[in-house]
Amino acid sequence: MTARILVAGIGNIFLGDDGFGSEVVRNVAISHDDSGVRVVDYGIRGMHLAYDLLDNWDTLVLVDAVPSRGSPGTLHVFQAECDFQAECDGDDDAPGLDAHGMDPATVFASLRALGGILPYTVVVGCEAGSVEEGIGLTEPVAGAVHRAARAVEEIVAALQAPPHGRSADPCAWAFPVR
């Protein structure tokens, strides 16, 4: 049986580099004939993503801008883990549902509130240069779009049929950052 993989580009295209995820999924070359893989630009529709995750996906590949560590345009691939104990434990102080919010922790809390379980999640993130109001990516982040799209394609291919000699865990892989 083929793994069911949801590739979700997220972010606000009106906040500069925050639109990275949306731009990457528009550039991912994955066949629309593959019923086991769905590529979606969710933008800021967090509740839509939470509801779609109720459909029992095996893997979520989340594409998003991440806070800069001083190197805008640098790609990071990692497994998502819940850093917010309230969201993991279902604590009553967890953030409320926001139909137009796209903070991943809030989406994951919404999924849990709906009775869903977060699938294995890989994040393809790019360090943002600017998330000020304005349309368009900064030069270093725009330069990372093609590399990120190729990384997503490699991750999906490996999750569908892990190649010999390479870890099946995409978080252990090295991707070129420049």
Side-chain angles (χ1 to χ4, degrees):
M1 185 171 158
T2 304
R4 296 186 67 238
I5 303 166
L6 177 61
V7 178
I10 64 173
N12 188 335
I13 63 167
F14 297 108
L15 295 177
D17 290 341
D18 195 52
F20 174 78
S22 295
E23 187 64 27
V24 170
V25 297
R26 282 194 290 275
N27 286 276
V28 169
I30 293 177
S31 172
H32 294 287
D33 294 334
D34 186 345
S35 62
V37 181
R38 185 170 167 215
V39 180
V40 180
D41 175 5
Y42 285 95
I44 60 170
R45 297 172 297 138
M47 269 318 281
H48 186 177
L49 174 57
Y51 278 114
D52 282 355
L53 287 169
L54 292 173
D55 197 22
N56 297 319
W57 295 95
D58 297 308
T59 303
L60 169 64
V61 178
L62 195 63
V63 187
D64 194 9
V66 296
S68 181
R69 296 180 181 170
S71 299
T74 299
L75 292 179
H76 300 276
V77 177
F78 55 93
Q79 180 179 353
E81 295 182 20
C82 187
D83 292 328
F84 303 96
Q85 197 60 39
E87 286 87 352
C88 289
D89 294 341
D91 193 343
D92 292 336
D93 294 330
L97 301 180
D98 178 2
H100 300 289
M102 189 36 99
D103 170 49
T106 302
V107 172
F108 299 162
S110 298
L111 173 64
R112 183 176 177 90
L114 292 167
I117 298 171
L118 184 67
Y120 174 74
T121 301
V122 176
V123 177
V124 177
C126 179
E127 289 188 32
S130 172
V131 290
E132 299 297 319
E133 285 187 19
I135 297 174
L137 304 175
T138 61
E139 187 177 329
V141 173
V145 168
H146 180 75
R147 291 189 323 273
R150 298 305 77 82
V152 168
E153 293 161 11
E154 286 186 32
I155 289 166
V156 168
L159 289 168
Q160 289 178 319
H164 296 291
R166 184 176 214 183
S167 169
D169 179 6
C171 298
W173 305 345
F175 289 97
V177 294
R178 291 277 176 221

